[in-house]
Amino acid sequence: MYYTVCEVARRLNLSPHTIRFYGKEGLLDFVDRDQNGNRIFKESDFEKLFIIASLKRSGMTIKQIKAFTVLCDEGDSTIARRLDIIKNQREAVEEQITELQDALDVLKYKTWLYETALEAGTTAVHDHMPPEEMPPHIRKIKDRIRKLTDDMETRYKEAAQNAVQEEKS
């Protein structure tokens, strides 16, 4: 059975424009064409296209994805290089997830902070609030925020000290 660009797009939750763009960029050389030159996708094409879309969502550029697909086409002699690419991208995604989790925690903290302030009628309600009066998950987030800002302050001080020492040298 064959599928059209629109059918593939719907099934993979991509836009037809995205699939056509991938084709224009040379990422869909594995896809057959009908007698009119239109792409026709086989069931076996879905996995490759899903992987391409996943790599793109992970932050890889089209150029990087193209290089990866070329290595795939070259066969088993490139397994180690492909593994390195995937491991590096996985690490980058894990870093992004950590950064996003930090951002989400700040938003959770600020939501609690403003909900509490709204109920009290003032943001001053938090000025002298003991940590034990905060919900445990908020206390953990606040502690993490404090640690992150303390770490940043330490790094800035070290950088400033290093700059002064370099000037003296």
Side-chain angles (χ1 to χ4, degrees), residues 142-154 156:
K142 186 170 180 169
D143 288 344
R144 249 179 80 226
I145 292 170
R146 185 177 300 114
K147 183 182 180 323
L148 289 170
T149 55
D150 289 349
D151 288 349
M152 287 172 38
E153 186 176 334
T154 301
Y156 285 130

Side-chain angles (χ1 to χ4, degrees), residues 82-137:
R82 287 184 270 159
L83 177 60
D84 286 343
I85 290 168
I86 295 299
K87 282 182 173 181
N88 289 336
Q89 194 61 29
R90 187 186 74 201
E91 288 175 15
V93 169
E94 288 170 346
E95 287 175 23
Q96 289 173 340
I97 289 170
T98 299
E99 290 172 7
L100 286 172
Q101 186 60 55
D102 289 344
L104 179 60
D105 285 347
V106 168
L107 294 173
K108 287 177 181 178
Y109 171 72
K110 295 302 270 183
T111 299
W112 170 81
L113 186 123
Y114 289 123
E115 286 174 346
T116 307
L118 185 62
E119 190 175 302
T122 179
T123 56
V125 68
H126 306 103
D127 291 349
H128 302 290
M129 181 181 284
E132 48 282 350
E133 287 185 22
M134 297 177 188
H137 72 285

Side-chain angles (χ1 to χ4, degrees), residues 50-107:
F50 179 77
I51 290 169
I52 289 168
S54 295
L55 293 174
K56 184 67 179 122
R57 278 192 301 276
S58 79
M60 285 180 78
T61 65
I62 295 294
K63 185 177 178 180
Q64 291 169 319
I65 295 169
K66 177 68 176 165
F68 179 78
T69 61
V70 166
L71 290 174
C72 291
D73 292 341
E74 289 177 9
D76 290 348
S77 65
T78 65
I79 291 172
R81 289 168 53 200
R82 287 184 270 159
L83 177 60
D84 286 343
I85 290 168
I86 295 299
K87 282 182 173 181
N88 289 336
Q89 194 61 29
R90 187 186 74 201
E91 288 175 15
V93 169
E94 288 170 346
E95 287 175 23
Q96 289 173 340
I97 289 170
T98 299
E99 290 172 7
L100 286 172
Q101 186 60 55
D102 289 344
L104 179 60
D105 285 347
V106 168
L107 294 173

